[in-house]
Amino acid sequence: MADQPTRHTAGTITDDDLDALYDVLERHERRSDAWQTSAEASAAERDGAYQERAQLLAWLAALAPAVLAPATDVDEHGWHLLYLTTPAGQLSWHIHPRDLAYFEHVERAEADDPRAQWDGHSTAEKYDRIGQLAAGDGCSCSILRTGPGRHLPECPNRGSSSR
């Protein structure tokens, strides 16, 4: 049978025993503080990455037909969904309430608006679609608005051959 730890009571605990318990408690509090600090740093790093993503998405939303609608699939208030319409298909992302200011230029739509209806794409399909767009001729007007190899009338690449 394994040795059982000594069970102390108010009448049997010595000052040395109490000091030892306080030492254990202090070590655990330091570890807990370190974990809390690490968790806070990780959350700040994550939030920074999401903020950068939001800024890139806001830029894409200026280049492609886009709408922003309330996210009815998120319990927290204020979340939105960004829907981009591209020649490769719909692209969509959840937008945190703190990042909405980046999307002031994007048309707002109600959740039941036909332009704000998810087409069922998976995350992998979304990034496959982005890959298709990126494989175009590198011109944002042809990739996002008209399709690979086609350019808007004002595009300096109009008349150039596609890859």
Side-chain angles (χ1 to χ4, degrees), residues 80-158:
H80 283 69
L81 276 160
L82 174 68
Y83 295 94
L84 300 179
T85 302
T86 75
Q90 182 189 77
L91 307 173
S92 64
W93 289 268
H94 284 89
I95 304 300
H96 193 281
R98 73 172 167 264
D99 296 325
L100 286 176
Y102 298 122
F103 298 89
E104 292 298 320
H105 63 287
V106 178
E107 182 181 352
R108 297 313 200 253
E110 295 298 323
D112 61 353
D113 186 302
R115 298 168 299 162
Q117 301 306 305
W118 178 54
D119 70 358
H121 65 269
S122 67
T123 300
E125 289 170 321
K126 173 174 56 178
Y127 288 104
D128 284 345
R129 291 172 181 179
I130 290 173
Q132 292 170 27
L133 295 168
D137 60 14
C139 174
S140 64
C141 74
S142 70
I143 291 171
L144 296 172
R145 297 180 190 253
T146 59
R150 297 193 308 256
H151 301 275
L152 296 170
E154 64 273 15
C155 178
N157 292 328
R158 188 173 177 83

Side-chain angles (χ1 to χ4, degrees), residues 4-131:
Q4 294 289 326
T6 304
R7 175 115 175 117
H8 296 287
T9 64
T12 63
I13 194 165
T14 67
D15 285 343
D16 289 341
D17 293 333
L18 192 55
D19 288 343
L21 288 172
Y22 276 118
D23 288 345
V24 169
L25 177 61
E26 188 177 319
R27 278 196 310 274
H28 286 287
E29 285 175 340
R30 279 195 305 267
R31 279 192 210 135
S32 177
D33 289 347
W35 280 107
Q36 181 65 31
T37 300
S38 177
E40 289 169 359
S42 295
E45 186 175 344
R46 177 205 60 213
D47 292 348
Y50 275 114
Q51 185 179 33
E52 287 183 22
R53 182 192 79 156
Q55 291 176 51
L56 288 169
L57 292 174
W59 174 65
L60 285 176
L63 300 174
V67 295
L68 196 61
T72 58
D73 63 334
V74 178
D75 291 334
E76 269 184 73
H77 176 73
W79 281 80
H80 283 69
L81 276 160
L82 174 68
Y83 295 94
L84 300 179
T85 302
T86 75
Q90 182 189 77
L91 307 173
S92 64
W93 289 268
H94 284 89
I95 304 300
H96 193 281
R98 73 172 167 264
D99 296 325
L100 286 176
Y102 298 122
F103 298 89
E104 292 298 320
H105 63 287
V106 178
E107 182 181 352
R108 297 313 200 253
E110 295 298 323
D112 61 353
D113 186 302
R115 298 168 299 162
Q117 301 306 305
W118 178 54
D119 70 358
H121 65 269
S122 67
T123 300
E125 289 170 321
K126 173 174 56 178
Y127 288 104
D128 284 345
R129 291 172 181 179
I130 290 173

